[in-house]
């Protein structure tokens, strides 16, 4: 006949010994490897794509011949970098917008310069 004595310690391991492996925690230093997880870092917006858009907008208002060309160059560089980044960079739409606005700014300023140089448009503001 078995009795359940509350103070009976005959079936327990001694203090400081390793606990039995059945269903408990693994011994220190032998934890199972971590499962790969997480989503990784979010993609970053390409800085040259942002610069292309800003330069394209600036080309509409001032220094259009210079900033328009720079917007086109930065746009092409950004597009190549985004395509080769394998999804770690975004901003293809910004680069495309910078390219288009840069062309518009370049054409407008070239037309303005042509009209001023031929004398068709008087550049005197007074």
């Amino acid at each position: 006949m078995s009795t359940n004595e509350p103070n009976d310690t005959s079936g327990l391991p001694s203090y400081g010994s390793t606990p039995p492996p059945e269903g408990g925690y693994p011994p220190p230093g032998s934890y199972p490897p971590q499962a790969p997880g997480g989503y990784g870092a979010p993609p970053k917006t390409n800085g040259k794509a942002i610069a292309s858009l800003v330069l394209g907008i600036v080309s509409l208002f001032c220094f259009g011949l210079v900033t328009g060309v720079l917007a086109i160059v930065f746009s092409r560089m950004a597009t190549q970098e985004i395509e080769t980044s394998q999804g770690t960079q975004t901003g293809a739409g910004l680069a495309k917008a910078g390219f288009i606005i840069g062309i518009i700014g370049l054409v407008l300023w070239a037309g303005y310069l042509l009209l001023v140089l031929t004398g068709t448009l008087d550049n005197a503001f007074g």
Side-chain angles (χ1 to χ4, degrees), residues 6-105:
N7 295 329
D8 183 20
T9 60
S10 61
L12 298 176
S14 63
Y15 180 75
S17 66
T18 305
E22 53 191 58
Y25 292 106
S30 65
Y31 292 103
Q34 293 287 328
Y39 295 105
K44 303 280 184 193
T45 304
N46 187 294
K48 290 178 184 162
I50 296 171
S52 170
L53 181 62
V54 170
L55 288 167
I57 293 171
V58 170
S59 74
L60 295 174
F61 301 104
C62 59
F63 309 115
L65 297 175
V66 175
T67 55
V69 170
L70 287 175
I72 294 168
V73 169
F74 274 98
S75 171
R76 288 298 165 203
M77 291 169 53
T79 302
Q80 288 177 344
E81 289 178 7
I82 291 167
E83 288 175 355
T84 60
S85 72
Q86 298 176 352
T88 60
Q89 291 184 1
T90 60
L94 297 175
K96 183 181 267 188
F99 180 78
I100 293 169
I101 296 172
I103 288 175
I104 292 171

Side-chain angles (χ1 to χ4, degrees), residues 1-11:
M1 173 149 73
S2 167
T3 61
N4 287 335
E5 290 289 325
N7 295 329
D8 183 20
T9 60
S10 61

Side-chain angles (χ1 to χ4, degrees), residues 108-125:
L108 288 176
W109 278 92
Y112 174 76
L113 184 64
L114 181 68
L115 291 175
V116 168
L117 291 177
T118 59
T120 307
L121 184 65
D122 186 16
N123 198 16
F125 291 101

